[in-house]
Amino acid sequence: MNVDLVAPYADILNADLAELDADAVFSRTKWQAIKDSGILRTPFKEEYGGAGRSFTETMRALEGLGYLCRDAGIAFSTSTQIVSLATPLEKFGSAELKARYMPRILSGEAVTAHAITEESGGSDAMNITTTAVREGDHYVVDGGKMFITNAPVADLFLLYVRTGRPGPFGLTCLLVERDTPGLEIGAPMDKLGLRTSPIGRLTFDKLRVPVDRRVGAEGGGFLVLDYVMKREILYAFSLTLGEMRHRLETVLAFAAKRTQFGQPIGSYQAVSHKIVDMRIAVETAAKWLADTGAKAERGEDISLDLAATKIVVSEANVQTALAAVQIHGGRGVLTEYGVERDLRNSVAGTIYSGSSEIQRNRMAALLGL
């Protein structure tokens, strides 16, 4: 875990948590702190304004952000910013697109989002129905997306659209600016957790996108998505690991000072066993992330490992958050203590980036079942 980048900004990132969460506000003040920290530059090449750090170094930096920042929403928007557009643009984009957009993205000047999920399906990304028809030097896009993280505040979008036959090899990626005619951005959608990271709908009505805004080859959207999702899972759940480490420390401190019947509650087996289980869950998550990240950095196939890692970390997050609420007792359900906010924030992790059920399906298929 590396907290060096964000440590100077911890007070800003942790200000007004209850109020911002209750009102579902994406804080521009906190986003400025994220920008100033330089964490958005971490994994990218120096020629584009990046810091040139490795895959696993980026994971450790995001774990540090998760540990120090109690605003899980702004942290989640940060990991989304790193993977949504800059990551595929650096790998698949033209030199012109990279020169034009990478500095704006890595500085945080432009907030980004990737539009994959549709109302008819999220996990079934290979059957995207939003279409893009080639007309001369433009694509004309019709359709819509929903549950798009950062959408209400984003300046740039990467759209996953269908330009060809059904299935994965009919998908294409297009870079679109916010003010493009034919793009309608819906209001933020109210939700259970991660409330300071806004999500929303996108609607496309004869949206014209220049062909030179394509990221990757026509029909190459599946390759882009596969590349991005590996990083999305490992980066986002590195944040989660940092959050769990902080949660465990908080619970240990509370169990040591909170007394009932004349002794600290941590001395009671019912409580101590919950904390032991939390520690096991945290360390298991850490080992899966470290191992899978190292394999990814070596260029090994991580398909099965990635699915397992996502299951282990996301479900450990819910388990430890629920245990923290129970250990805190009445305080655990009061918003002023922030413990219940952790539980609400944890639930979405079992759904986004491929639900636990989908990940188990993938593992079963990879095991030949």
Side-chain angles (χ1 to χ4, degrees):
M1 179 170 61
N2 181 359
V3 300
D4 292 347
L5 287 174
V6 294
Y9 306 93
D11 288 345
I12 298 173
L13 294 172
N14 291 323
D16 304 319
L17 293 173
E19 296 86 349
L20 293 172
D21 181 77
D23 295 335
V25 174
F26 175 83
S27 169
R28 290 290 180 175
T29 300
K30 294 188 182 190
W31 187 249
Q32 185 63 50
I34 292 293
K35 290 162 61 176
D36 292 345
S37 75
I39 196 168
L40 298 174
R41 304 177 184 273
T42 307
F44 302 106
K45 295 177 182 178
E46 293 179 4
E47 64 186 282
Y48 306 124
R53 302 303 182 189
S54 70
F55 200 109
T56 51
E57 286 174 323
T58 302
M59 291 173 63
R60 287 194 288 271
L62 286 166
E63 182 185 347
L65 175 62
Y67 176 80
L68 284 181
C69 179
R70 302 279 54 75
D71 188 337
I74 201 72
F76 187 63
S77 282
T78 299
S79 68
T80 298
Q81 173 88 358
I82 290 172
V83 299
S84 59
L85 183 49
T87 290
L89 188 57
E90 182 182 57
K91 175 71 173 177
F92 299 98
S94 68
E96 181 183 355
L97 285 180
K98 284 187 270 196
R100 181 173 181 178
Y101 290 107
M102 288 292 284
R104 289 180 60 197
I105 299 169
L106 302 196
S107 68
E109 174 196 342
V111 179
T112 65
H114 52 178
I116 303 167
T117 302
E118 298 180 346
E119 190 159 6
S120 59
S123 298
D124 191 11
M126 295 305 98
N127 285 311
I128 281 171
T129 61
T130 296
T131 59
V133 178
R134 180 82 175 259
E135 290 186 0
D137 58 358
H138 284 75
Y139 290 100
V140 180
V141 181
D142 288 287
K145 303 286 183 177
M146 73 181 304
F147 303 130
I148 306 305
T149 297
N150 287 353
V153 296
D155 303 289
L156 301 171
F157 299 87
L158 188 66
L159 310 186
Y160 288 77
V161 298
R162 184 160 302 285
T163 52
R165 63 185 185 274
F169 299 107
L171 300 180
T172 300
C173 295
L174 303 176
L175 192 161
V176 177
E177 298 194 13
R178 182 183 185 90
D179 59 359
T180 305
L183 169 61
E184 180 182 341
I185 302 170
M189 305 169 79
D190 202 19
K191 54 180 175 168
L192 173 72
L194 299 174
R195 290 174 55 81
T196 56
S197 174
I199 64 171
R201 299 175 184 267
L202 301 175
T203 304
F204 318 117
D205 182 11
K206 296 180 174 53
L207 169 69
R208 295 180 65 83
V209 184
V211 171
D212 62 13
R213 300 281 179 87
R214 189 180 64 219
V215 176
E218 182 168 305
F222 170 74
L223 299 176
V224 177
L225 182 62
D226 183 65
Y227 181 82
V228 167
M229 290 307 296
K230 289 182 173 67
R231 286 150 183 80
E232 176 168 291
I233 290 173
L234 291 175
Y235 290 167
F237 289 96
S238 293
L239 280 175
T240 300
L241 176 60
E243 293 164 5
M244 288 195 292
R245 289 198 188 283
H246 184 275
R247 183 179 304 137
L248 177 60
E249 290 183 7
T250 300
V251 166
L252 281 166
F254 180 78
K257 72 178 182 181
R258 171 67 170 163
T259 60
Q260 288 286 279
F261 305 103
Q263 59 189 43
I265 62 171
S267 66
Y268 295 108
Q269 189 177 75
V271 174
S272 66
H273 283 192
K274 282 186 184 295
I275 297 174
V276 167
D277 287 343
M278 288 179 69
R279 174 61 187 270
I280 292 170
V282 170
E283 294 307 321
T284 302
K287 287 175 172 60
W288 271 101
L289 279 164
D291 184 59
T292 305
K295 286 183 177 181
E297 197 160 84
R298 294 193 298 266
E300 298 177 20
D301 181 10
I302 61 167
S303 300
L304 195 147
D305 304 77
L306 191 70
T309 300
K310 206 273 183 178
I311 292 168
V312 168
V313 184
S314 65
E315 296 186 359
N317 195 29
V318 176
Q319 172 197 334
T320 57
L322 179 58
V325 169
Q326 293 169 328
I327 291 167
H328 279 78
R331 292 170 175 80
V333 298
L334 297 179
T335 57
E336 67 179 284
Y337 291 94
V339 183
E340 59 83 33
R341 184 171 61 246
D342 267 12
L343 180 57
R344 288 188 287 105
N345 289 337
S346 73
V347 175
T350 64
I351 299 171
Y352 62 71
S353 302
S355 68
S356 291
E357 292 77 13
I358 290 296
Q359 302 299 342
R360 286 183 167 88
N361 285 347
R362 287 174 180 161
M363 292 186 70
L366 289 165
L367 292 169
L369 300 174

